[in-house]
Amino acid sequence: MPSTSRTSRIPRARLGLAGALAALLVAAGAVGGPAAQAGEQHRPKTLADLAQRHGRYFGSATDNPELTDTAYTTILGREFDMITPGNGMKWYATEPQQGVFDFSAGDEIVDLARANRQKVRAHTLVWHSQLPGWLTSREWTADELRAVLKNHIQTEVRHYRGKVYAWDVVNEAFNEDGTYRETVFYKTLGPGYIADSLRWAHEADPRAKLYLNDYNVEAVGPKSDAYYALAKELKAQGVPLHGFGLQAHLALQYGYPTTLEENLRRFSRLGLDTALTEVDVRMLLPATEEKLAQQADWYRDLTKACLAVRRCVGVTLWDYTDKYSWIPAFFPGQGAALPWDEQLTPKPAYHAIRKALK
Ligand code: XIL
């Protein structure tokens, strides 16, 4: 679990001057006792507050274009204690030309998170998708690509050193059947690109928690088995791997991954942290009361699964509102995947998460 600076966080936005003074005195131990405790009980707790009582975080992804929406950023800043940039730290955004780096999008989100005293899960360094054209439009020798990959990883990780809690170092490395995905990195460098990437990232920021991250790995099965075997091997070789991220892009029509808790537990036993990193629960539209109720049950169950496994460090939603979900654009006819609706009103799923965290 991250040592959270927000454990005793005083939510400044909700306090007037008198309130801020009182809170300071309470924090300093100057006042307290039953009255202060009663006040505490009546304060509506955020998902982050509730998760912190279990030594977990509760996070959301966000993206730069949304940050002009102040109704949106108010909830983002209040309800969560972990933030992931949805796109701003990806390769196409950070190295649009070879050797020319642009961290402005990621920086904007890191700065906002810092202002809200939130931590950052950084995403992602090595992925086959959203690569810049200069990288995908030509052939590379192994030596060339190794140098390009090392420079990308180390320049970006160094830039965010000390500012991020964790990195998704390699994203989506396996196929559904547990074979390696034939990415440009795998095809050119072989499977060793994963250990190399972890070592390079560790050199550049020895304190960041380094993760492998993927989708459809929530249940025990061929794909999560491949990660389990790889993680075991990497640990045995002393490669700096600290966590396994399960994206958890779930869909009502495909059924709930009932072995999630068992799966989290086996990675814990390897000495790894686990996290649910990109949670959403999509459905075939239109959303009905029944589907929203089932969705709420799934959010409850996945939250409880994380709480049940000691080294599951937290849950991140892939943005918190249907207003900014990636689902409708990528899965036509599907949506309504998040705990807040398009009007930023909490849905049954939101209340189910709160209940699970109580
Ligand atoms: C998605 C973003 O949310 C979209 O805005 C973008 O167009 C495509 O990528 N798995 C991941 C994330 O690891 O980076 C993806 O994010 C969603 C699937």
Side-chain angles (χ1 to χ4, degrees):
M1 176 56 207
S3 64
T4 132
S5 58
R6 220 162 158 272
T7 309
S8 58
R9 185 176 90 94
I10 299 154
R12 286 170 304 167
R14 270 187 265 116
L15 297 171
L17 195 55
L21 182 60
L24 268 176
L25 290 169
V26 171
V31 295
Q37 279 161 23
E40 188 71 10
Q41 273 160 20
H42 289 125
R43 190 163 61 85
K45 295 242 186 314
T46 65
L47 296 184
D49 291 332
L50 295 170
Q52 282 172 17
R53 290 182 175 172
H54 300 272
R56 308 302 202 279
Y57 62 78
F58 215 94
S60 176
T62 190
D63 208 355
N64 302 78
E66 304 152 26
L67 301 180
T68 54
D69 177 345
T70 54
Y72 167 82
T73 53
T74 300
I75 297 173
L76 185 75
R78 179 185 70 209
E79 203 74 30
F80 304 99
D81 56 353
M82 185 70 77
I83 297 293
T84 302
N87 287 298
M89 292 182 175
K90 291 173 180 174
W91 202 323
Y92 80 98
T94 52
E95 195 181 356
Q97 295 171 60
Q98 187 177 359
V100 180
F101 288 84
D102 178 357
F103 295 114
S104 53
D107 287 353
E108 186 186 12
I109 290 169
V110 169
D111 290 347
L112 180 68
R114 292 190 120 196
N116 289 322
R117 297 188 223 181
Q118 297 161 315
K119 292 171 176 287
V120 174
R121 282 196 91 261
H123 173 84
T124 180
L125 297 167
V126 190
W127 190 27
H128 63 277
S129 189
Q130 293 181 282
L131 290 168
W134 62 263
L135 199 159
T136 52
S137 61
R138 53 159 282 190
E139 301 281 314
W140 302 90
T141 67
D143 282 349
E144 285 169 344
L145 192 62
R146 267 178 74 81
V148 161
L149 185 61
K150 181 176 182 186
N151 187 51
H152 178 75
I153 290 173
Q154 296 207 314
T155 305
E156 181 159 7
V157 174
R158 241 184 263 123
H159 178 83
Y160 288 111
R161 181 186 173 130
K163 295 187 173 172
V164 303
Y165 160 68
W167 268 107
D168 288 331
V169 177
V170 181
N171 198 33
E172 303 180 353
F174 285 106
N175 295 314
E176 297 305 298
D177 65 0
T179 57
Y180 280 99
R181 190 189 282 268
E182 302 249 331
T183 68
V184 62
F185 308 109
Y186 179 80
K187 285 195 288 192
T188 314
L189 302 172
Y193 84 91
I194 296 177
D196 285 340
S197 297
L198 290 162
R199 289 195 186 99
W200 292 328
H202 188 63
E203 250 174 55
D205 183 352
R207 293 201 174 162
K209 302 272 191 201
L210 304 184
Y211 277 68
L212 304 178
N213 192 56
D214 212 325
Y215 63 93
N216 279 352
V217 292
E218 294 71 35
V220 174
K223 198 173 185 183
S224 63
D225 287 351
Y227 276 99
Y228 184 77
L230 174 63
K232 200 170 180 177
E233 193 183 316
L234 293 173
K235 292 301 271 183
Q237 293 168 358
V239 176
L241 172 68
H242 309 115
F244 180 45
L246 301 87
Q247 294 182 8
H249 293 293
L250 306 182
L252 290 186
Q253 66 274 20
Y254 300 139
Y256 184 79
T258 51
T259 49
L260 172 59
E261 188 181 319
E262 171 192 342
N263 194 27
L264 292 171
R265 193 161 280 124
R266 68 173 171 160
F267 283 93
S268 293
R269 290 213 184 93
L270 285 183
L272 289 178
D273 288 349
T274 55
L276 305 181
T277 54
E278 306 186 10
V279 178
D280 44 31
V281 180
R282 63 187 187 267
M283 60 185 72
L284 299 169
L285 296 173
T288 62
E289 220 172 277
E290 287 75 23
K291 288 184 211 169
L292 292 172
Q294 193 188 2
Q295 179 186 55
D297 288 347
W298 286 29
Y299 272 103
R300 175 198 65 203
D301 290 349
L302 67 88
T303 301
K304 286 194 162 173
C306 183
L307 294 182
V309 179
R310 198 174 53 82
R311 295 199 64 166
C312 181
V313 294
V315 176
T316 297
L317 308 173
W318 204 242
D319 223 319
Y320 72 84
T321 163
D322 295 336
K323 187 171 182 182
Y324 297 120
S325 173
W326 71 302
I327 295 294
F330 280 78
F331 301 92
Q334 302 179 49
L338 294 162
W340 278 259
D341 72 13
E342 291 188 25
Q343 282 70 49
L344 307 181
T345 304
K347 292 156 63 175
Y350 168 78
H351 300 290
I353 295 168
R354 288 187 65 97
K355 246 176 114 183
L357 290 172
K358 280 195 174 141

